[in-house]
C-alpha cells in the first residue's frame, strides 16, 4: 500500500506570493490533517479535514486555508506569503478521523520564502 | 488543550535503556497519549499509544501513572538507528481533533 504522498517536495517562493501544497492520503483513509514544523515552534497543528469538511483548525491566520476533495486528497493554500511561513509542511492521514487513532505522515513539503 | 513538556535532548549509549518523560498536567479525561519518532527530512512515525497504566509493543513501552499527568516512553537496548526526535502527543476525544505536540526530545545514541 502506498504511503502518504506530498507534492512538491521542495518549494521556493517570494514574499507576497501564494502557494498550494498537495497531499494524497493512504488509500481508504478519509481524514487528512496538516501541520507546520519549524525549528523554533516545533510541530503545530493547522487543520483537519474529514469527508471534505474542515473539522478543526489550529491557531493560524486566515492566510492558511485548505480543502479536501471527494477522493480524500487534500490541498493547503497559503496566501500573501511571509518570511515566517518558511517551514516544513506535513500532512497526515488516518482511517476514520477518530482523534486518537494512528496518524500516517508524509515526508513533507519544504517551503522557503525569500 | 493539554500542554506537554519534554526534555529538549538526551544522550545514550548503544545497548542501554532510554526513558523519555513527557509532562501533560492538563490532560483531559478522555485524552490518549501517543508517541511519534521523527528522522531528519521525514514525517513522524507512530511508536506507541496508551490511555493508562502500561502499554508494550515490539519496539517500546509506555508507562502512565494513575494521575496521568505524565508519561514515560521506554526504549529498550537502543541502537544508533534510534537517534531521532521523539514527540509526545496528547489528543482530545470528541468529533474534533485537537492535537498538542510536545516540543520533542532529540535522542542521540552514541557508539
Amino acid at each position: 500500500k502506498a504511503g502518504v504522498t506530498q507534492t512538491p517536495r521542495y518549494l521556493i517562493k517570494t514574499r507576497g506570493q501564494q502557494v498550494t501544497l498537495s497531499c494524497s492520503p493512504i488509500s481508504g483513509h478519509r481524514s487528512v490533517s496538516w501541520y507546520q514544523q519549524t525549528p523554533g515552534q516545533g510541530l503545530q497543528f493547522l487543520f483537519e479535514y474529514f469527508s471534505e469538511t474542515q473539522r478543526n483548525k489550529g491557531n493560524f491566520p486566515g492566510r492558511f486555508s485548505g480543502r479536501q476533495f471527494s477522493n480524500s486528497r487534500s490541498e493547503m493554500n497559503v496566501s500573501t506569503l511571509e518570511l515566517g511561513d518558511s517551514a516544513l509542511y506535513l500532512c497526515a492521514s488516518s482511517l476514520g478521523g477518530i482523534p486518537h487513532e494512528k496518524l500516517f505522515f508524509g515526508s513533507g513539503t519544504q517551503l522557503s520564502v525569500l | 488543550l493539554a500542554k506537554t513538556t519534554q526534555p529538549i535532548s538526551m544522550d545514550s549509549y548503544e545497548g542501554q535503556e532510554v526513558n523519555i518523560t513527557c509532562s501533560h498536567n492538563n490532560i483531559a479525561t478522555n485524552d490518549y497519549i501517543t508517541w511519534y519518532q521523527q528522522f531528519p527530512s521525514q514525517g513522524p512515525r507512530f511508536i506507541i499509544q496508551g490511555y493508562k497504566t502500561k502499554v508494550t509493543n515490539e519496539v517500546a513501552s509506555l508507562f502512565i501513572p494513575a494521575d496521568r499527568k505524565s508519561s514515560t516512553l521506554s526504549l529498550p537496548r537502543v541502537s544508533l538507528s534510534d537517534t531521532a526526535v521523539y514527540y509526545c502527543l496528547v489528543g482530545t476525544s470528541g468529533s474534533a481533533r485537537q492535537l498538542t505536540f510536545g516540543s520533542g526530545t532529540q535522542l542521540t545514541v552514541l557508539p
Side-chain angles (χ1 to χ4, degrees):
Chain A
K1 211 176 216 184
V4 178
T5 304
Q6 290 189 246
T7 57
R9 186 71 179 91
Y10 301 95
L11 205 50
I12 300 175
K13 291 287 186 178
T14 57
R15 279 182 300 173
Q17 287 186 312
Q18 75 167 20
V19 66
T20 299
L21 312 181
S22 179
C23 173
S24 293
I26 292 173
S27 178
H29 285 193
R30 296 171 64 191
S31 171
V32 174
S33 49
W34 288 88
Y35 306 82
Q36 181 195 65
Q37 186 172 31
T38 60
Q41 298 296 321
L43 258 166
Q44 293 184 286
F45 170 72
L46 280 157
F47 31 65
E48 182 203 11
Y49 286 87
F50 179 77
S51 293
E52 303 179 64
T53 301
Q54 186 181 89
R55 298 210 304 184
N56 197 26
K57 183 173 166 61
N59 189 25
F60 279 82
R63 300 185 297 107
F64 292 82
S65 63
R67 59 177 176 169
Q68 186 181 33
F69 302 95
S70 58
N71 61 358
S72 293
R73 190 177 71 85
S74 178
E75 288 183 347
M76 188 191 104
N77 183 276
V78 187
S79 62
T80 319
L81 283 166
E82 301 176 359
L83 295 179
D85 296 332
S86 294
L88 178 66
Y89 290 89
L90 294 158
C91 83
S93 74
S94 60
L95 274 171
I98 300 172
H100 57 264
E101 68 183 356
K102 184 190 300 187
L103 299 176
F104 295 82
F105 283 84
S107 295
T109 294
Q110 183 66 54
L111 172 65
S112 298
V113 182
L114 306 177
Chain B
L1 300 177
K3 181 180 177 182
T4 59
T5 304
Q6 303 174 232
I8 294 174
S9 64
M10 294 181 69
D11 290 341
S12 181
Y13 291 96
E14 279 191 293
Q16 290 189 330
E17 178 185 73
V18 171
N19 295 310
I20 306 175
T21 297
C22 177
S23 173
H24 29 78
N25 291 322
N26 297 324
I27 189 169
T29 302
N30 295 325
D31 283 349
Y32 278 71
I33 300 153
T34 312
W35 286 79
Y36 286 83
Q37 174 193 56
Q38 186 178 25
F39 298 109
S41 302
Q42 294 184 27
R45 183 175 68 105
F46 174 90
I47 300 176
I48 197 167
Q49 182 182 78
Y51 179 78
K52 61 180 179 181
T53 63
K54 176 184 175 182
V55 179
T56 298
N57 62 23
E58 63 277 7
V59 298
S61 294
L62 179 60
F63 298 92
I64 305 170
D67 65 7
R68 305 203 325 126
K69 293 187 176 183
S70 67
S71 59
T72 299
L73 173 71
S74 180
L75 304 172
R77 298 179 297 283
V78 294
S79 63
L80 297 177
S81 62
D82 293 318
T83 295
V85 177
Y86 291 81
Y87 288 97
C88 168
L89 173 64
V90 176
T92 63
S93 61
S95 61
R97 184 190 298 270
Q98 298 271 359
L99 297 179
T100 304
F101 276 84
S103 55
T105 298
Q106 172 66 58
L107 172 65
T108 303
V109 180
L110 306 169

